[in-house]
Amino acid sequence: MTAVKVGVLDHGMGNLRSVAKALEAVGATVAVSADEGVLEQQDALCVPGQGIFGRCVDELVATGLESFVRAWITDERPYLGICLGMQVLFEQSAEGGQVAGLGVLQGRVVKLQGSVVVPHIGWNTVGDTYYYFDHSYVVVPDDPSIVAGWTEHGSRFAATIDTGPILGVQFHPEKSGRAGLSLLRRWTADAAHRRARQESA
């Protein structure tokens, strides 16, 4: 089977290269790009984290990549949103006021609550697995059934969402060692299976 082709969307911020290197480490062929023509040729799309919610949404709108992301998800193509790349899918964020998101998923993004240090930087468990976090805001989906994993820092929050073609993680798999690579390997394997089903249809 040929390697899964993953497009890492360059929205002008974030740790693009470290995400690309982690995906390459699990056997994917990676294209880091803001060009729709390049991204369209990939089997799966990853939107990485780190950055400011409103600035990220503005960049996606200004470049036309907002419509591209919407169409990608509507077409049921594999999407991985890391940290900010998950958050922008929701309807609005409290970061910088009430800022509109893409509204692909219903819910909002709020600041971490509780008497804890914010930003939350370091290792936390999701289930029985440790992942590396670096964030100040978390998603609150209207439908809690899409939450596939929870963790706690000050208060309990969604660490992983899984719905349709979307896998979203609040942590950074590219910084999470073996556990992070294992998650990326499962995601790319799922993308390969989806591609195989489409090719045989």
Side-chain angles (χ1 to χ4, degrees):
M1 182 180 293
T2 57
V4 171
K5 296 183 293 182
V6 178
V8 174
L9 190 152
D10 182 356
H11 50 66
M13 62 191 78
N15 49 338
L16 304 173
R17 189 56 205 153
S18 60
V19 172
K21 286 177 66 176
L23 287 163
E24 289 167 350
V26 300
T29 299
V30 181
V32 178
S33 182
D35 186 317
E36 289 186 31
V38 172
L39 296 171
E40 181 63 40
Q41 299 305 311
Q42 311 308 308
D43 301 312
L45 180 67
C46 175
V47 179
Q50 294 190 334
I52 299 170
F53 186 98
R55 189 181 300 170
C56 181
V57 173
D58 287 347
E59 180 69 16
L60 293 175
V61 171
T63 58
L65 288 168
E66 174 200 17
S67 298
F68 177 81
V69 168
R70 290 180 185 277
W72 184 279
I73 293 171
T74 298
D75 290 342
E76 294 283 310
R77 302 177 73 180
Y79 177 101
L80 173 61
I82 298 174
C83 194
L84 183 61
M86 171 180 68
Q87 292 178 1
V88 295
L89 296 180
F90 286 83
E91 294 171 298
Q92 66 178 19
S93 173
E95 185 178 8
Q98 293 301 322
V99 181
L102 301 187
V104 173
L105 297 173
Q106 293 184 321
R108 63 196 192 282
V109 180
V110 302
K111 193 165 187 177
L112 276 166
Q113 302 297 308
S115 56
V116 291
V117 175
V118 177
H120 170 211
I121 300 174
W123 296 84
N124 243 19
T125 54
V126 181
D128 58 358
T129 305
Y130 278 92
Y131 295 103
Y132 187 83
F133 290 78
D134 184 355
H135 65 116
S136 299
Y137 292 81
V138 297
V139 299
V140 182
D142 285 357
D143 178 5
S145 71
I146 72 172
V147 180
W150 299 88
T151 194
E152 186 169 327
H153 183 73
S155 58
R156 185 171 179 257
F157 64 87
T160 310
I161 63 167
D162 191 351
T163 179
I166 299 168
L167 176 63
V169 293
Q170 185 57 67
F171 51 84
H172 290 270
E174 76 279 7
K175 297 180 180 179
S176 297
R178 291 181 183 177
L181 292 178
S182 178
L183 181 144
L184 294 175
R185 189 174 291 110
R186 292 193 300 272
W187 180 69
T188 55
D190 179 67
H193 293 149
R194 286 174 182 257
R195 182 182 64 185
R197 289 196 299 268
Q198 291 171 346
E199 290 173 348
S200 64

